């Protein structure tokens, strides 16, 4: 873990997406943070020690998803498959599919496995899975403010976690998408999917993959913007983040909206032509029950008395 010293910083951005506004000053206390996203090998040790069964591996209770297509009421997760050519960016169903049997062990579906990917970030983990791992490890998940402060690496108000230039010296700084999303991946960074943690230089606080590779869960409920007063709302634009298809837009459970947490950092599927969210200020809302091939997490440990 790396020590994040805490302090005041300007959270958010006025220059990109509406949910990142308004920019406002925030104070965070010092804390420890994992230097990299939790890996497949680490998560495997947790499962072996506890017997934990992830949300993606658990048969869903139909009562939790009233009105859902019965075909979706099986264990599974969301998997990205690039279309063969250009498609409209208005419909993410053209590249996201619900795959029965997909899970952290089988990230592309029942016929796949994680052999050789032990140092890659674990994926297909829902919010509850991340919390369970953190509790087992004696840690926690970061708040949105803690995560953003740490990802900035001391570069307050910089666009990226490494500065203001996307590719300084022509070099890729994070595992993101190069080319026209979702069909043309130029692989300029060498990776078609996730990359081993630590494949790129760390930020100023010693954190690897503070942008790209996989999105990361935080504890905050998603708000429409930074002035929404903590109200749990759906994101105005889902961007490259699909929700659990069992949950229809606007659906409620027991009269309440399905809880959405803030995820941060962007992923290997973020591209300038579609989802320029590999920035510290970027934020998306995701339903707690959702798992995909590009969402993971890392943990924090707070000092006594910190918030």
């Amino acid at each position: 873990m790396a020590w994040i010293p805490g302090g005041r910083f300007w959270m958010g951005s006025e220059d990109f997406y509406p949910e990142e506004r308004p920019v406002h000053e925030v104070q965070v206390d010092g804390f420890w943070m994992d230097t990299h996203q939790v890996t497949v090998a680490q998560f495997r040790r947790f499962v072996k020690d506890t017997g934990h069964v992830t949300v993606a591996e658990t048969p869903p209770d139909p009562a939790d998803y009233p009105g859902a297509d019965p075909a979706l009421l099986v264990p599974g997760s969301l998997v990205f498959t690039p279309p063969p050519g250009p498609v409209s960016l208005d419909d993410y169903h053209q590249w996201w599919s619900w795959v029965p049997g997909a899970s952290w062990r089988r990230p592309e579906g029942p016929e796949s496995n994680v052999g050789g990917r032990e140092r890659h970030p674990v994926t297909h983990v829902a919010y509850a899975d991340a919390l369970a791992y953190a509790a087992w490890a004696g840690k926690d998940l970061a708040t949105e403010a803690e995560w953003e402060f740490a990802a900035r690496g001391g570069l307050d108000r910089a666009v990226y976690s490494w500065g203001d230039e996307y590719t300084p010296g022509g070099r890729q700084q994070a595992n993101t998408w190069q080319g026209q999303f979702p069909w043309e991946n130029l692989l300029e960074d060498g990776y078609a999917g996730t990359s081993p943690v630590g494949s790129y230089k760390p930020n100023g606080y010693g954190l690897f993959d503070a942008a790209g590779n996989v999105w990361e869960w935080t504890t905050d409920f998603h708000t429409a913007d930074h002035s929404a007063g903590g109200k749990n709302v759906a994101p105005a634009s889902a961007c490259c983040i699909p929700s659990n298809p069992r949950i229809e837009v606007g659906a409620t459970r027991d009269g309440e909206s399905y809880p959405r947490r803030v995820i941060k950092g962007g992923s290997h599927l973020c591209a300038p032509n579609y989802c320029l969210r590999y920035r510290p200020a970027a934020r998306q809302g995701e339903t707690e029950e959702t798992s995909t091939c590009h969402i993971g997490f890392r943990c924090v440990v707070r000092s006594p008395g910190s918030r």
Side-chain angles (χ1 to χ4, degrees):
M1 304 188 85
W3 173 248
I4 311 301
R8 299 190 71 82
F9 78 108
W10 291 96
M11 186 174 180
S13 173
E14 299 284 353
D15 301 325
F16 294 91
Y17 299 107
E19 68 271 12
E20 300 169 21
R21 307 168 191 157
V23 174
H24 58 295
E25 197 171 17
V26 177
Q27 169 77 39
V28 297
D29 295 330
F31 58 97
W32 294 91
M33 192 174 213
D34 289 344
T35 56
H36 58 75
Q37 295 150 345
V38 172
T39 65
V40 168
Q42 290 174 313
F43 199 79
R44 180 186 287 142
R45 287 196 294 271
F46 155 65
V47 170
K48 183 177 180 180
D49 189 55
T50 64
H52 180 81
V53 179
T54 63
V55 171
E57 299 170 289
T58 303
D61 183 347
D64 289 336
Y65 305 98
D69 182 348
L72 297 175
L73 295 176
V74 295
S77 192
L78 284 155
V79 175
F80 172 82
T81 304
V87 295
S88 170
L89 297 179
D90 295 334
D91 182 10
Y92 62 73
H93 296 91
Q94 296 178 93
W95 54 89
W96 282 109
S97 300
W98 175 259
V99 178
S103 69
W104 74 272
R105 305 172 192 268
R106 305 189 181 282
E108 287 80 51
E111 303 305 316
S112 65
N113 60 64
V114 289
R117 287 187 265 187
E118 289 79 8
R119 288 282 298 168
H120 287 236
V122 68
T123 56
H124 296 289
V125 283
Y127 182 68
D129 303 319
L131 282 182
Y133 176 95
W136 169 79
K139 302 178 181 182
D140 202 349
L141 300 182
T143 65
E144 181 182 2
E146 288 172 335
W147 196 101
E148 184 168 331
F149 180 86
R152 290 184 177 279
L155 300 179
D156 199 12
R157 298 200 183 192
V159 175
Y160 305 106
S161 59
W162 55 86
D164 289 324
E165 187 179 351
Y166 174 45
T167 51
R171 299 190 56 149
Q172 298 292 331
Q173 303 296 306
N175 183 2
T176 60
W177 183 284
Q178 300 87 47
Q180 294 298 304
F181 184 87
W183 64 278
E184 178 193 45
N185 192 345
L186 300 177
L187 302 179
E188 292 172 358
D189 59 7
Y191 299 105
T194 59
S195 52
V197 296
S199 296
Y200 298 88
K201 291 182 178 179
N203 73 358
Y205 291 146
L207 305 180
F208 296 94
D209 297 311
N213 214 2
V214 295
W215 288 91
E216 300 181 25
W217 289 106
T218 74
T219 60
D220 282 36
F221 286 109
H222 182 259
T223 57
D225 57 41
H226 282 308
S227 63
K231 183 180 179 181
N232 176 39
V233 297
S237 171
C239 187
C240 61
I241 299 294
S243 289
N244 188 322
R246 301 173 186 135
I247 303 172
E248 296 183 2
V249 175
T252 61
R253 181 170 58 196
D254 297 328
E256 299 290 335
S257 298
Y258 285 88
R260 292 178 181 267
R261 303 284 175 167
V262 174
I263 54 175
K264 297 283 281 184
S267 80
H268 60 89
L269 296 179
C270 283
N273 75 308
Y274 183 59
C275 179
L276 210 163
R277 285 182 166 88
Y278 37 85
R279 299 171 291 102
R283 58 199 299 268
Q284 284 275 269
E286 187 54 273
T287 52
E288 293 179 358
E289 294 89 347
T290 297
S291 60
T292 76
C293 61
H294 73 334
I295 299 180
F297 67 102
R298 77 178 78 206
C299 301
V300 301
V301 171
R302 298 182 182 87
S303 297
S306 67
R307 60 180 183 276

